[in-house]
Amino acid sequence: MKLVIFSEAGFMYGFGHFYRMSGICDRAVREGRDVTMYLMADDTARSNLDKEYIEFAEWKDPEVYGSILNRNVLLVIDSYHVDLQLLEEFRALAGDMIVIDDNIRLDYHDMKILNPNYFSVFMNYPADRNNTLYLGKDYTLLRDEFRLHGERTIKEEVTDILITMGGTDPLGRTAVIIKDLKEISETARLHVVCTRAYRDLDEIRNSLGSEDRLYLNIEAADMCSLMEKCDFAVASAGGTTNELIKMQLPSVLVVVADNQRLNTMYLTENGFTEAMYDDDAEVIRSMFSFDKRKQMADKLRSFRSDRSGKDLICETACSGGCDE
């Protein structure tokens, strides 16, 4: 079956959906599969994203999705801007469909639902809606580069800290976090990951010391290396959360959207991460404790798995094609 993805990216959309869908596309391309990702996107996304499998399209338009979907298509949809009626129309047209869900956003019925978050096995999906559920550590949607080499070592002294607020940081949290860390530690090196879509890059650059590093539009392999190198992270509580867990990196999750509260609450209450809802430097300060970081890393090891949602999606596309 042809693999089709409907998703979204942009300054206000963010880039989280694109990043996790790009991992599926990269895998499909390597395996020689026919794949296209259709993106609803603004000018920010159009100027920053350049992959051979991307097409920018208003896929919610009936004329557009009607020309794309047919019985030889496996549709994967990752969007917060689609309603249940539209999903039902997609399902009727496509050969098969998998909906990516993070927070039981809709009253799904008679659908395949994949929740790629580690915490999702604890969510109460209704049992009477005839859905097929794929939940948790065996169905994550991380890019292949995110792979921990060996065991995570926790050092007594914090020397390197990762700061990453996702693809856009519309609230400007990066500069505030840098300021907080500079007041807490004079010696720790900051590794700040941004994209060129950030609107306050000059302020961020000017706030860094001579030993700190700013990284722009880095690839997944480089982000993985930073996560291996750093002692803890301060990161937005979006898709990066799963990357941090995969890499067993103790972290403070910065909640920047309402749809991030559920996963952050579960992870924090069970000791997997710390959380920051406002500008609370004391939460960051607590991460300099060796015992705290060691306890987090020990808990994060329980999430290990060699399987992923990409395996399921590519296997589904293959089985559908083989049945034709």
Side-chain angles (χ1 to χ4, degrees):
M1 300 178 84
K2 175 180 174 61
L3 177 57
V4 167
I5 293 171
F6 286 172
S7 195
E8 59 210 14
F11 187 78
M12 295 309 298
Y13 286 140
F15 287 81
H17 295 297
F18 164 75
Y19 286 133
R20 66 183 178 185
M21 292 298 98
S22 68
I24 298 171
C25 293
D26 291 339
R27 167 80 66 87
V29 168
R30 286 197 302 272
E31 295 180 357
R33 302 190 186 283
D34 188 359
V35 58
T36 303
M37 186 194 309
Y38 295 92
L39 284 179
M40 292 193 301
D42 61 12
D43 290 341
T44 298
R46 290 170 184 264
S47 62
N48 280 275
L49 301 180
D50 182 21
K51 294 281 189 178
E52 61 183 7
Y53 46 72
I54 292 175
E55 289 194 22
F56 298 108
E58 292 298 318
W59 47 258
K60 291 200 295 183
D61 185 325
E63 291 188 7
V64 175
Y65 69 72
S67 68
I68 295 170
L69 300 179
N70 58 63
R71 303 307 294 174
N72 195 44
V73 164
L74 167 62
L75 173 64
V76 177
I77 179 161
D78 188 8
S79 170
Y80 288 156
H81 298 89
V82 59
D83 60 23
L84 188 62
Q85 180 180 351
L86 197 52
L87 287 178
E88 292 169 344
E89 294 182 30
F90 292 162
R91 183 187 56 194
L93 291 171
D96 205 349
M97 183 176 77
I98 296 175
V99 180
I100 310 301
D101 178 68
D102 294 300
N103 52 16
I104 319 182
R105 191 177 66 86
L106 298 172
D107 183 22
Y108 306 106
H109 66 89
D110 304 291
M111 296 181 185
K112 294 180 178 179
I113 308 298
L114 190 156
N115 189 320
N117 299 292
Y118 286 96
F119 69 89
S120 62
V121 292
F122 299 94
M123 295 176 64
N124 295 317
Y125 280 88
D128 61 349
R129 306 300 285 153
N130 197 35
N131 294 311
T132 302
L133 301 175
Y134 305 101
L135 310 176
K137 66 180 183 179
D138 293 334
Y139 300 103
T140 57
L141 289 173
L142 301 175
R143 289 166 287 180
D144 287 344
E145 289 85 353
F146 287 96
R147 188 180 305 276
L148 185 63
H149 301 94
E151 295 290 329
R152 165 69 65 179
T153 300
I154 303 300
K155 305 198 306 284
E156 288 277 357
E157 180 185 2
V158 172
T159 60
D160 294 272
I161 302 168
L162 173 64
I163 303 172
T164 174
M165 288 294 110
T168 57
D169 191 16
L171 300 179
R173 300 298 293 273
T174 301
V176 175
I177 291 164
I178 292 171
K179 178 177 178 294
D180 289 341
L181 280 164
K182 288 296 183 184
E183 294 177 355
I184 294 169
S185 173
E186 296 180 354
T187 59
R189 287 183 295 269
L190 306 185
H191 301 267
V192 183
V193 176
C194 304
T195 71
R196 291 183 174 86
Y198 279 44
R199 295 178 177 175
D200 57 349
L201 283 175
D202 287 341
E203 179 183 359
I204 290 170
R205 286 192 182 95
N206 293 334
S207 65
L208 296 176
S210 59
E211 297 299 315
D212 303 324
R213 289 285 310 277
L214 174 65
Y215 307 81
L216 291 177
N217 288 56
I218 65 173
E219 297 294 330
D222 298 316
M223 179 66 95
C224 177
S225 295
L226 283 176
M227 289 183 180
E228 284 197 296
K229 174 179 183 176
C230 289
D231 299 298
F232 72 87
V234 184
S236 59
T240 304
T241 300
N242 289 322
E243 297 169 357
L244 295 165
I245 292 173
K246 178 74 172 182
M247 300 303 295
Q248 299 173 24
L249 180 60
S251 305
V252 175
L253 300 182
V254 181
V255 176
V256 297
D258 287 342
N259 58 33
Q260 298 171 351
R261 291 181 177 272
L262 181 63
N263 62 311
T264 304
M265 180 181 67
Y266 165 72
L267 292 168
T268 303
E269 288 180 350
N270 288 275
F272 294 106
T273 65
E274 263 294 355
M276 190 164 68
Y277 297 88
D278 299 305
D279 296 327
D280 186 355
E282 291 307 306
V283 176
I284 298 176
R285 188 185 302 274
S286 71
M287 296 299 293
F288 284 79
S289 163
F290 168 78
D291 289 338
K292 182 165 196 169
R293 287 179 284 113
K294 180 68 165 58
Q295 290 170 7
M296 281 188 185
D298 289 344
K299 280 185 167 290
L300 291 171
R301 290 189 184 97
S302 67
F303 282 132
R304 284 178 174 168
S305 175
D306 292 328
R307 187 164 171 79
S308 77
K310 290 176 292 185
D311 298 321
L312 171 73
I313 289 168
C314 288
E315 289 164 6
T316 302
C318 179
S319 63
C322 293
D323 289 342
E324 292 296 309

